[in-house]
Amino acid sequence: AVRRVRRTALRCPEAAACAIGQDEGVNIDIAHAMPGDVEDFVDLFEQYRSFCGKAPTPDARTFLAERIETGQTLVLGARDSVGVVGFAQVYRAFDSIHLTHDWVIADLFVDGAARGRRVGGSLLEAVLDGARENGAHHVRVSTQSNNAYAHRLYESHGFEQLDTTGATVYYQLKLRDHH
């Protein structure tokens, strides 16, 4: 079963657990990354950066640690019995004209060995739940134009394609109307 350890996203560290789907008998927990979890995420974060064409660097650990420790972003991790198999990193973007905020998915990545186990969909659902709970008006994400899996994932969750510029496709999901 896929389980999510819930914390009010970008707000509160208290945790409670709830089941959010089936995963062929393999347990997956989705939880907020806390400062003490950084080491658990570094290898997968570097895999993600490599997937995006970047070379490994010690600066990646520092960057990730700063985001988690300062609360600048929300990092959700998916864990199975072996360790972290996926993560999503989200930040808020504010709209002064409409007096609202959106959530922006900066990163969503699943280890190759864990793909096909609903990890990416479970991470995305946890992000969407947190965005709704926190009153976000939209969730935005961009992805590489050649990443067919990501396109299917976002479109299957109701995201609409906004624009394509070169190698990047921009998506948005409307959660609420403006004031």
Side-chain angles (χ1 to χ4, degrees):
V2 177
R3 295 179 51 80
R4 180 166 21 137
V5 177
R6 301 186 79 204
R7 297 182 179 108
T8 305
L10 296 175
R11 219 183 265 170
C12 174
E14 288 77 42
C18 67
I20 61 172
Q22 296 301 314
D23 188 25
E24 300 173 6
V26 177
N27 289 327
I28 301 288
D29 290 327
I30 308 289
H32 293 217
M34 303 302 283
D37 297 331
V38 171
E39 291 306 320
D40 296 343
F41 284 84
V42 171
D43 287 342
L44 191 63
F45 188 65
E46 283 287 26
Q47 283 181 45
Y48 167 69
R49 294 184 69 256
S50 176
F51 178 81
C52 295
K54 300 298 180 188
T57 174
D59 295 338
R61 186 212 176 283
T62 302
F63 178 87
L64 185 61
E66 287 175 354
R67 302 295 79 71
I68 293 171
E69 291 168 3
T70 62
Q72 292 174 343
T73 63
L74 164 70
V75 177
L76 293 172
R79 296 175 190 264
D80 65 9
S81 60
V82 177
V84 177
V85 295
F87 75 94
Q89 183 169 204
V90 180
Y91 65 90
R92 287 193 286 190
F94 295 93
D95 180 339
S96 299
I97 302 301
H98 295 104
L99 305 176
T100 63
H101 73 277
D102 292 348
W103 277 26
V104 179
I105 301 171
D107 314 308
L108 194 154
F109 184 73
V110 175
D111 182 275
R115 293 191 184 136
R117 293 172 39 199
R118 243 184 72 59
V119 175
S122 296
L123 282 164
L124 181 57
E125 290 163 13
V127 168
L128 296 177
D129 287 348
R132 286 183 187 101
E133 290 170 8
N134 280 274
H137 285 259
H138 300 94
V139 175
R140 295 183 276 154
V141 65
S142 61
T143 189
Q144 297 169 339
S145 59
N146 64 354
N147 190 339
Y149 172 79
H151 297 281
R152 284 191 305 273
L153 175 66
Y154 298 125
E155 290 169 7
S156 73
H157 283 81
F159 281 76
E160 294 181 6
Q161 187 174 327
L162 294 178
D163 195 10
T164 301
T165 56
T168 305
V169 178
Y170 299 89
Y171 285 98
Q172 178 173 280
L173 177 65
K174 182 177 181 179
L175 301 178
R176 302 174 13 163
D177 290 324
H178 293 290
H179 299 291

